[in-house]
Structures are given as C-alpha cells and as structure tokens.
Amino acid sequence: MSSSFSDRLAVLPQYLIPKQALTAFAGWVAGSQWGGATTGIIDWFVQRYNVNMSEAANPDTASYKSFNEFFTRPLHASARPLAHAAYVSPVDGAISQCGQIAGDQVFQAKGHSYSTRALVGGDAALAAQFQDGQFATLYLSPRDYHRIHMPCAGRLSRMVYVPGDLFSVNPTTARGVPGLFARNERVVCVFEGEHGPFVMVLVGATIVGSMATVWHGVVNPPRPGTVREWTYEMGSISLAQGEEMGRFLLGSTVVMLFPQSVMQFNTDWTPARPIAMGEAMGSVV
C-alpha cells in the first residue's frame, strides 16, 4: 500500500464525522467551569501530552477555572527569550513546511499545494504581493503553548474571517487532504512591516473551539458561513516583535506569507523540526 493511499484512507473518517457539531461541543466543554472535574481533565491532559507546566506563569493546575483558561495559559517571563534576529518564530510547535512560494503555489505536502489567493480568501490583489515570496506553515500540537506572537514588528491593516471546513491539521491530514490550509476555516491578518507586507493566517481545525486576536477578542464563533472583514487605520494597531497577537482555544496551525526578496529562512529551518516561540527564524535578504 502506498503512503499517499494510506494517508487518504486514514483521513476518510474526517469526511464523514459531523465536524462542526463536534467542534461546537468541544468549545462548550472547554469553556465550562466544573471545579474538581475541570482540574481532573486538565491533569489528565498534562499527563497524556507531557505538558511542561514548569514553564507556565502559574503551574498550579487546580487554579484554572476552565480548560480554555489552562490551554491559553501564559508562560513566565523568562521562558521564551527573543533571539536577536530580524524574524523570530511566532509559536511553539513544529515546522510543517517552509520555503519559497512557487509563483502563487504554496507547498503543503507531497502531491499537494494550494494558491495564495485561496489561502487569503480569494483576494487576488493581496495574494499578488506574495508572488514567488516565502512561506512558513507551523503546526501546534496539543502539548504546545498556544499563544501566537509577532515574528517582527507590524502595523495591522486588515483582518478577514474566511469560513471553511474543520479538518484536523496534523501531518497525516496535511498529506491526505488536498488544499487543507486553504480549505479550513481561518482568520487572515494582514500587516505592514519594516520590509513590506506580511500575512499571518490562523487556521482552524476539528475541535478548535475558537480563534482570538488581541485587538478584536474572539473572532469565531459566531460561524455565519460568510466572509467577514475588518479594516484598520494604518498605525492604529501596532505590535512589536514578540508581542502576543492572538491565540487558539485548542490547537491548530499558523501560515505566514512574506514577499519576494525580503526574508530568508535560517538553514536549520526544515520540515518536522521542533520550534520554540522567539527563536531565530530568518534574516533580511
């Protein structure tokens, strides 16, 4: 049996399960406050996924009123020092893929790619700014720290909510579902940086109850099934490198786009490599 066929077979059940209903239920459970039962769920999760609570600003699992509060826990101030680099990793997790955008095609996995236009919700003018540019797809596993930070300083210009599917975003699904990251629900955040525009796309997934940004709060739910867009006066929302920009309530993926001839990835940034928020990601070309 070929690996590509086995991957497609492995994700087949995801086409059949009621992903929206399952996600809504998971969001309700994660936001509920059940006292000792909530602490029990958190303790099970910590043990099951080997979560390093010594890095948390508050390591006492009994102090978290809901699973969401635990899941989006802040780290203590010294846990993630920022590297002296033009671009730093915005998250803890693993590199799914990174490298050059081939024209307008972003590489997903062997045999799969998708267009920048599809990723950003159909905006051709926005997508054109990243023709032959650079991209990074970063996967956050359940054990990871789930706040998202700025890879470099930026001024927010737009945010677009794009409705979509809620497939899992783990490596097996990335190999088995065509156009996964341009197909799932996502929040597209457009910034202007010192060296030009860049985009950070927060990708939803099965049981990702919601995604939030620091300037808006929770973006979803609601899930109206239509594109929603917000525009911001340039400079009204400016975030420094390493500053928090958003978070996932349950884990997912971040996709970043950079224009051509602006940044280059560190040579050690290769697929499947673990990463930590704040580590050096790349330099200016």
Side-chain angles (χ1 to χ4, degrees):
M1 182 183 297
S2 70
S3 59
S4 60
F5 179 78
S6 63
D7 288 333
R8 290 195 298 271
L9 192 63
V11 302
L12 181 61
Q14 293 191 47
Y15 286 90
L16 305 176
I17 63 173
K19 295 184 286 295
Q20 292 275 358
L22 181 61
T23 298
F25 176 73
W28 173 74
V29 171
S32 298
Q33 299 182 15
W34 293 330
T38 295
T39 301
I41 293 171
I42 293 171
D43 287 339
W44 171 85
F45 187 92
V46 168
Q47 184 173 15
R48 169 68 176 80
Y49 292 103
N50 194 27
V51 177
N52 184 3
M53 291 301 292
S54 68
E55 295 181 328
N58 180 3
D60 179 11
T61 57
S63 68
Y64 295 102
K65 295 179 181 179
S66 70
F67 186 83
N68 275 341
E69 188 176 293
F70 153 74
F71 199 77
T72 58
R73 65 197 176 278
L75 303 183
H76 60 71
S78 61
R80 295 294 183 274
L82 292 185
H84 295 290
Y87 299 92
V88 299
S89 173
V91 294
D92 282 6
I95 302 166
S96 178
Q97 298 291 340
C98 68
Q100 185 170 8
I101 300 167
D104 69 343
Q105 294 295 302
V106 180
F107 181 68
Q108 176 176 302
K110 184 178 179 180
H112 299 305
S113 62
Y114 55 89
S115 73
T116 52
R117 180 174 179 176
L119 178 68
V120 301
D123 188 329
L126 175 60
Q129 297 180 70
F130 305 101
Q131 187 83 1
D132 293 313
Q134 301 288 326
F135 80 96
T137 304
L138 309 178
Y139 169 66
L140 289 73
S141 72
R143 65 166 291 178
D144 291 318
Y145 166 64
H146 275 79
R147 297 193 180 196
I148 308 158
H149 296 254
M150 295 292 288
C152 58
R155 301 182 304 277
L156 181 69
S157 62
R158 295 167 61 199
M159 180 174 74
V160 184
Y161 167 79
V162 185
D165 288 321
L166 289 169
F167 286 98
S168 168
V169 290
N170 62 37
T172 299
T173 311
R175 294 190 299 267
V177 176
L180 173 64
F181 303 116
R183 165 176 199 161
N184 267 15
E185 176 183 58
R186 54 205 180 277
V187 176
V188 181
C189 304
V190 185
F191 294 93
E192 187 69 28
E194 180 182 356
H195 302 288
F198 64 95
V199 166
M200 299 181 71
V201 182
L202 284 54
V203 183
T206 309
I207 75 167
V208 176
S210 64
M211 294 176 279
T213 62
V214 296
W215 58 85
H216 182 90
V218 172
V219 179
N220 65 309
R223 290 184 166 93
T226 57
V227 173
R228 293 185 290 157
E229 180 171 349
W230 298 262
T231 57
Y232 304 90
E233 182 180 348
M234 186 58 71
S236 63
I237 299 174
S238 295
L239 299 173
Q241 184 183 53
E243 191 171 351
E244 182 185 344
M245 61 79 63
R247 61 186 68 174
F248 290 114
L249 301 181
L250 302 183
S252 195
T253 288
V254 174
V255 182
M256 293 182 292
L257 304 179
F258 299 95
Q260 184 181 20
S261 302
V262 167
M263 72 90 72
Q264 59 185 9
F265 289 102
N266 288 346
T267 56
D268 60 350
W269 266 54
T270 54
R273 178 182 177 274
I275 53 173
M277 194 287 289
E279 74 169 60
M281 177 174 73
S283 57
V284 175
V285 172

